[in-house]
């Protein structure tokens, strides 16, 4: 298979993996102990879980979209 016919190159896959890791980090920041029927945990309203983690996930998704849309550079020599 010819490399110039591929839609993604190595950089696209690296950017996609980095974006996925950023999204996973955002979901990890969102996770934590919740409230039960007998006790209320006020940590569910912390700034990290409500504001920071969704922004981190958003940037991760945006970087994944960029990795998909990015066009690989054509390095082939076109001689006529």
């Amino acid at each position: 298979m010819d490399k110039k016919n591929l839609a993604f190159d190595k950089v696209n896959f690296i950017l996609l993996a980095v974006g996925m890791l950023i999204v996973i980090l955002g979901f990890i920041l969102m996770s934590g102990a919740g409230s039960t029927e007998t006790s209320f945990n006020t940590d569910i309203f912390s700034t990290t879980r409500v504001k920071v983690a969704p922004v981190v996930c958003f940037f991760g998704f945006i970087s994944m979209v960029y990795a998909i849309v990015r066009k690989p550079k054509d390095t082939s020599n076109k001689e006529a």
Side-chain angles (χ1 to χ4, degrees), residues 47-80:
T47 305
T48 304
R49 291 171 106 180
V50 175
K51 294 182 181 178
V52 175
V55 171
V56 170
C57 286
F58 178 72
F59 283 126
F61 286 125
I62 293 298
S63 65
M64 288 174 65
V65 167
Y66 172 73
I68 292 171
V69 173
R70 181 184 170 275
K71 183 177 179 183
K73 298 207 187 304
D74 188 19
T75 59
S76 64
N77 294 333
K78 295 182 180 177
E79 297 178 11

Side-chain angles (χ1 to χ4, degrees), residues 5-43:
N5 292 334
L6 294 176
F8 287 173
D9 63 349
K10 185 177 180 181
V11 177
N12 287 79
F13 286 114
I14 292 171
L15 290 173
L16 199 60
V18 168
M20 187 58 141
L21 290 175
I22 293 171
V23 171
I24 290 171
L25 175 68
F27 278 108
I28 289 171
L29 289 173
M30 272 191 246
S31 67
S35 297
T36 62
E37 292 182 17
T38 58
S39 67
F40 179 72
N41 185 2
T42 58
D43 191 39

